[in-house]
Amino acid sequence: MSKLLIHGGHKLFGEINIPAAKNSYLPILAACVLCEEEIVLHNYPDYTDTQSMCGILSSIGANITNNGGDLLIDASSLFSWGVESELACQVRSSIFMLGALLGRFRKARVAYPGGCEIGARPIDIHLSGFRKLGVKVEERHGYIYCDASKMHASTVLLEFPSVGATESLMMASVLLPGETRLLNAAKEPEIEDLQNFLVAMGADVCGAGSGEIVIKGVKKLHGCSYTPINDRIIAGTYMIATAMCGGEVLLKGVKAEHLRALIDKLDKTACVIEAKNDTIKVISDGKPIALGKVETSVYPGLPTDLQAQILALSSISKGSSMIVENVFESRFKHVPELVKMGADVHVKDRVAFVRGVERLYGASVSGMELRGTASLVLAGLVAEGYTTVSNIRHVDRGYKNIENDLASLGADIKRIDD
Ligand code: UD1
């Protein structure tokens, strides 16, 4: 098992190219099964989660070739409409296969999904949306069986703007005759990206980003070539790293409008942020000021996927912060590990009370989930002495060799084997 070994105390300087967003790529990969012609997806982010999703597509008969970072996907001769549990449990996004397979075959059988341990993460909104479209849904022996022989267009009001449920319903309805409306839909940039991809295949979808998505069913989709958006969460992680360590870092290939909520917060920590032409520059003296009250929420609010990194930033900021996690009910698993490094944090229900300390101290800490593990890496970058972060398979789910990116900026970090 590998670990990350970090010697803290180095400022960060340089440039990073931000890769494609895993959270865009995952639903887009699933949506490829809706099309019987070849699709080319550029800038493949080769992480364990995207590999698992490709494994799921291959298991049902899709042909996938990685041509130097471009994925060629041919789903013309699928032989199955089921996803087995050993594959579904590797990645939560396996749930997208339900919507995609319903769109293509009008039936699907998918095992319950796996993924990050950040609370219950139910799928009831996905399933109640399918039922509203006339799909018969049954849950038996760890599998979800869907019969969509009587599926029909309808208006679906989501009880919460779930990102995944919005994407599932978009996929289920693009080939459905008539007009389907999704109300209280999620507005995240990845939703708009999925819409753009579906439209590139010939679907008739509009409204993504507004909270109301209108899908007019078409008979067939055609092949296309598409470049998914870049990863706002990776960009945000490195912005926060720079705010903590001090230095000057230019992030290339990232839209400031996707990170407006974070930029507004970092402005208050006394960082200088310059955004232009798909680049964001962060300049910091490494002495951040505490943010006071911070709340995660759905887009365009502060993403829950940056909460753990902001908590690491708050732990060394001058003053106190109160971090409220509104999206997931159990997303503070990184806190006990940060406390081992000297952070002063107390959690009560969905709120973390953080008193900034002068310095953190290197320690052996262990990752529990993707973004929480990233926050431990950031803490290690500023801690006095050596930090080892174990269980880094979690961070590998969403960052490709995070140590190479950070080392290229001047951090002292490397991957070691036990
Ligand atoms: C997606 C992102 C994830 C991010 C999250 C919130 C991907 C692959 N993952 O996850 O990184 O943290 O959005 O921005 O895009 N919920 C229900 N029932 C459901 C579905 C969701 O109660 O059927 C709840 C969840 O438990 C959670 C909240 O709704 O509390 C938000 O979940 P959702 O927006 O669905 O997140 P994901 O799509 O799983």
Side-chain angles (χ1 to χ4, degrees):
M1 290 282 272
S2 300
K3 294 179 177 174
L4 290 175
L5 176 65
I6 308 165
H7 184 237
H10 299 268
K11 291 195 174 214
L12 304 180
F13 290 94
E15 299 181 358
I16 296 268
N17 288 312
I18 299 302
K22 146 184 117 66
N23 285 356
S24 264
Y25 239 91
L26 291 167
I28 285 174
L29 279 169
C32 289
V33 311
L34 292 163
C35 180
E36 294 179 47
E37 295 176 16
E38 187 176 85
I39 287 164
V40 182
L41 296 178
H42 300 290
N43 297 348
Y44 173 59
D46 186 12
Y47 315 139
T48 40
D49 269 11
T50 45
Q51 288 161 10
S52 300
M53 201 66 186
C54 287
I56 288 174
L57 292 187
S58 303
S59 77
I60 58 169
N63 220 322
I64 305 184
T65 318
N66 186 344
N67 188 3
D70 291 337
L71 277 198
L72 279 53
I73 300 157
D74 177 356
S76 57
S77 25
L78 300 185
F79 50 70
S80 168
W81 41 272
V83 179
E84 302 308 320
S85 64
E86 61 272 24
L87 294 171
C89 71
Q90 290 172 7
V91 56
R92 180 171 162 81
S93 299
S94 53
I95 190 66
F96 295 138
M97 296 305 294
L98 266 186
L101 289 166
L102 287 180
R104 171 87 177 252
F105 294 113
R106 296 286 188 267
K107 56 185 174 182
R109 180 184 60 90
V110 175
Y112 272 93
C116 254
E117 293 303 321
I118 52 176
R121 300 193 83 171
I123 51 170
D124 54 312
I125 304 174
H126 302 242
L127 301 187
S128 68
F130 292 146
R131 287 190 174 107
K132 183 79 192 153
L133 297 178
V135 178
K136 193 169 153 210
V137 181
E138 283 176 7
E139 301 172 63
R140 290 198 303 264
H141 311 300
Y143 281 82
I144 305 149
Y145 290 78
C146 289
D147 171 358
S149 50
K150 296 193 177 135
M151 186 157 65
H152 53 77
S154 185
T155 296
V156 180
L157 172 64
L158 281 80
E159 74 184 63
F160 178 87
S162 152
V163 174
T166 302
E167 292 167 335
S168 288
L169 291 164
M170 288 165 78
M171 290 187 243
S173 46
V174 281
L175 293 170
L176 190 61
E179 183 176 289
T180 297
R181 278 178 185 268
L182 306 179
L183 309 182
N184 196 28
K187 298 178 186 165
E188 272 67 4
E190 292 76 18
I191 301 285
E192 204 170 337
D193 208 26
L194 177 62
Q195 170 179 288
N196 291 341
F197 173 62
L198 294 169
V199 168
M201 290 195 294
D204 186 346
V205 186
C206 64
S210 74
E212 179 171 343
I213 299 174
V214 180
I215 303 132
K216 291 183 185 143
V218 296
K219 286 217 164 76
K220 211 172 168 4
L221 299 177
H222 54 70
C224 72
S225 168
Y226 191 76
T227 307
I229 57 170
N230 288 344
D231 198 313
R232 63 196 168 101
I233 304 302
I234 292 182
T237 302
Y238 294 154
M239 288 167 71
I240 296 168
T242 312
M244 292 172 73
C245 295
E248 184 170 327
V249 170
L250 182 73
L251 302 165
K252 293 160 90 174
V254 56
K255 292 199 184 305
E257 77 215 47
H258 291 169
L259 281 158
R260 186 51 57 202
L262 177 66
I263 291 172
D264 289 349
K265 289 290 172 211
L266 289 185
D267 271 341
K268 294 187 183 138
T269 65
C271 284
V272 176
I273 312 275
E274 295 168 5
K276 59 178 172 197
N277 303 337
D278 287 359
T279 67
I280 299 179
K281 184 187 274 183
V282 183
I283 304 166
S284 161
D285 63 1
K287 294 182 182 132
I289 296 166
L291 286 168
K293 189 173 180 192
V294 182
E295 288 194 68
T296 63
S297 65
V298 296
Y299 191 82
L302 195 71
T304 172
D305 285 353
L306 289 174
Q307 175 262 106
Q309 300 88 317
I310 285 174
L311 200 149
L313 166 73
S314 303
S315 75
I316 53 135
S317 294
K318 192 171 167 36
S320 299
S321 309
M322 182 178 147
I323 299 176
V324 185
E325 173 54 65
N326 285 318
V327 181
F328 288 104
E329 86 271 23
S330 172
R331 210 169 191 184
F332 286 124
K333 291 191 172 159
H334 46 291
V335 167
E337 300 302 288
L338 284 173
V339 168
K340 277 190 203 163
M341 300 176 75
D344 183 348
V345 189
H346 296 276
V347 174
K348 189 163 188 317
D349 303 325
R350 285 172 175 247
V351 185
F353 299 91
V354 189
R355 248 201 307 238
V357 293
E358 276 288 303
R359 64 177 55 83
L360 298 175
Y361 297 94
S364 288
V365 290
S366 180
M368 309 281 181
E369 49 93 13
L370 168 55
R371 308 300 171 186
T373 311
S375 81
L376 299 178
V377 173
L378 301 196
L381 295 179
V382 293
E384 190 175 297
Y386 284 93
T387 297
T388 50
V389 183
S390 54
N391 254 336
I392 55 171
R393 64 190 163 81
H394 292 295
V395 88
D396 291 339
R397 291 186 37 229
Y399 301 79
K400 185 76 184 171
N401 298 328
I402 193 170
E403 69 278 16
N404 291 354
D405 281 348
L406 292 168
S408 77
L409 298 175
D412 185 349
I413 175 170
K414 63 183 173 193
R415 191 174 287 244
I416 52 168
D417 290 321
D418 256 355

